[in-house]
Amino acid sequence: MNSVQLIYASSACADMRYLGQVMVPDPFMAFIVEGRSIAVLNQLEYARVCKCGRFDEVLLQEAIAEKAAAYFQKAVSAVRTIDLMVYLLSEYSTGSVCVPKDFPAGLAFELKAAGIDVSCATGAFFPQRVKKNEAELKALKAGNRASADGIRAAMAVLEEAKVKNGRLVHGGRALTSERLREVIEIACLKHDAVSESVIVAGGRQACDPHEVGHGPLSANELIIIDVFPQVRSTGYHGDLTRTVLKGRATDAQRQLVAAVRAAHSAAVKTLKAGISGAAVHAAAKDVFQEKGYATGRVDDHFEGFIHSTGHGLGLQVHEEPRVSPSGEVLPEGAVVTIEPGLYYPQLGAVRIEDVFRVGKEGAEKLSRLSYQWEIA
Amino acid sequence: MNSVQLIYASSACADMRYLGQVMVPDPFMAFIVEGRSIAVLNQLEYARVCKCGRFDEVLLQEAIAEKAAAYFQKAVSAVRTIDLMVYLLSEYSTGSVCVPKDFPAGLAFELKAAGIDVSCATGAFFPQRVKKNEAELKALKAGNRASADGIRAAMAVLEEAKVKNGRLVHGGRALTSERLREVIEIACLKHDAVSESVIVAGGRQACDPHEVGHGPLSANELIIIDVFPQVRSTGYHGDLTRTVLKGRATDAQRQLVAAVRAAHSAAVKTLKAGISGAAVHAAAKDVFQEKGYATGRVDDHFEGFIHSTGHGLGLQVHEEPRVSPSGEVLPEGAVVTIEPGLYYPQLGAVRIEDVFRVGKEGAEKLSRLSYQWEIA
């Protein structure tokens, strides 16, 4: 028979969520045997997963533990996770199992010690995850509606904000990254979408792409707002970024924004099934090079176009395929972000990000959000 | 020399967060060599982690990749994660490495294939994580303040709610689990605390302990509210549960609540350094047994006291030590939840949960929240 596939993870693991389409907070095991998915859940999860999950079969862990105890001639209380696995593999008449790359090494070693031949998937465990189906596209659009409403809510606050001594003020208090973040998070919650982090970073802070931002926001500085929440009911994400400025931009800031818009457009124009992620990345990079925006290390930091152009989006914020210098061919149905950016501590940072489905002839945008960025 | 320890994870992994005390969204590697922690971060993370993290040393991944390329005589663009690991292990003059149980099997197998002797920690990777220091206790108290304010916000809405045809109404609309959850989440956000899920489950729904709850809430039914957010700045959680009822409780409901309160008190009374988690669990279980609340399988579901009494709380919602039938000795400084519950589909469900530090002489409660539960 074919090798059995085995995952051991909570549904925070994207492969497990993909397989079972149900939230389970603690790790559990699921097998794929001859194309059928079989999950083992304890009494706390069993009934709910039977009802709400999409496994072909759900086994009650307590019942399997009794059988494993008899099989190994030990007390039920002494049965461990590895015993359940080895017992079930014997039931499936196989001595070999294929696990994902992020399978826990501890269990992998125990399986080997028990005489099981464990092989690790060299690529994606579920290669079909890269091509999004209709339900997934709908879920991704919902995620991006949450992101867009988050950014719109922030824009509305910035519209209302006043400038005092160069700092932004709203509701009589300093407008901080933290306050604006909260506004965004509440807007996302209205879509049942929750954010591990939301980036609202102004000025020099924004030049560190993973700095979430803190403290008072200033007038006339570029502010990056990057919102990538997960919709709880589906597990799929949105991921949009806009760069805005309250006050009046300088020519240098306007040129920076225009360059990033141009790189964004150039990358999107290349996007269609069969092109490589590397070629899409190169299209964005070329625009910056033509316009004379240099990239490289300066003293203790890096500036310019210091990250890749995009990444796959789905049950993970960052997933396959990559739109980077090493990005492989994009298949039809892949969903990727396009998010070029420029980072210069003396001037500020700009990143503009949207989400696209890769189609046969071109890209379909899965998000809707204005590019207006200067707020008087 | 001693075996080098190696982790490869994002800071969503509690061990990595514990070691570096900084948020990094994508997986990276960190070594512990002779008691010094050394992280390898790419240019996107390098400067921020140098500034905000607590690693003893941070290496720039791009610089290590160049050295690894020279070492293996390959192009820098062909250097993979495993190459960086093997190169650095050679720099640390060791051919053996110890990894945590949840280390990715894919990398573990590649390390072995490269001739590295890989052993897996049999227990906790950082055993010291179980004993919380002053900073951690402060962070846990902050987490529980978020939980408490979340539940208080829900209580305030329930106070204001009206009853119409047996259903709860607030602001002219049906009061649902979803609406009450949003109120709680917003209250948690004010504490910079974010919840992957918040349980607001009434009536029969609450009898499934991991059902988060959905749809209109009814009068006179027991509603479980379980709030376990993570404070983003520290990574530590709160975890509190109250069971409430809007309207008028029956005698059977009151007895159920009283039994759970009694089991909660009995468990807390036993809590001190040196006692086993199993003994604490038994104390709660005994109360239910004495009062005649049976536990077991009934048709397709389980009812009674169907989960363990508690669990460790820290960077993970569920971590060591367990307060369960197999719970081991609790050391001084451990932080655990005490959360007995009873679940009977015909009657409803009750769970009451607080968080305690295990002290030499007894337990110190790390949370403050009223036990008021009947709301007229």
Side-chain angles (χ1 to χ4, degrees), chain B residues 148-164:
Chain B
D149 272 0
I151 295 176
R152 282 186 199 109
M155 295 289 279
V157 170
L158 288 166
E159 296 272 1
E160 292 169 9
K162 306 278 172 233
V163 176
K164 261 192 194 159

Side-chain angles (χ1 to χ4, degrees), chain B residues 244-296:
Chain B
V244 303
L245 178 147
K246 172 78 178 183
R248 206 179 144 73
T250 63
D251 284 346
Q253 288 169 329
R254 283 185 190 146
Q255 282 157 17
L256 201 69
V257 172
V260 174
R261 279 295 301 278
H264 183 276
S265 299
V268 172
K269 227 176 250 171
T270 64
L271 208 57
K272 65 175 179 179
I275 196 171
S276 72
V280 179
H281 179 73
K285 198 175 143 187
D286 287 351
V287 170
F288 293 139
Q289 222 146 19
E290 276 161 32
K291 292 183 184 286
Y293 288 102
T295 293

Side-chain angles (χ1 to χ4, degrees), chain A residues 127-181:
Chain A
Q128 63 270 39
R129 261 185 61 198
V130 78
K131 295 190 189 188
K132 268 64 179 178
N133 65 26
E134 283 306 315
E136 291 177 289
L137 290 172
K138 203 178 143 196
L140 283 159
K141 282 179 185 169
N144 284 308
R145 277 198 300 276
S147 290
D149 271 0
I151 294 176
R152 281 185 201 109
M155 295 288 280
V157 170
L158 287 167
E159 295 272 2
E160 291 169 9
K162 305 280 171 233
V163 177
K164 259 191 196 163
N165 302 323
R167 287 279 169 85
L168 305 191
V169 173
H170 187 261
R173 290 184 299 137
L175 184 58
T176 59
S177 290
E178 290 83 351
R179 286 183 64 199
L180 214 46
R181 185 176 302 132

Side-chain angles (χ1 to χ4, degrees), chain B residues 18-36:
Chain B
Y18 185 77
L19 187 64
Q21 293 178 46
V22 62
M23 258 294 293
V24 178
D26 290 313
F28 64 103
M29 68 187 81
F31 295 84
I32 302 169
V33 183
E34 291 173 344
R36 280 172 54 78

Side-chain angles (χ1 to χ4, degrees), chain A residues 182-195:
Chain A
E182 192 181 304
V183 165
I184 294 168
E185 287 167 341
I186 291 174
C188 289
L189 282 179
K190 309 273 175 200
H191 293 260
D192 185 36
V194 65
S195 301

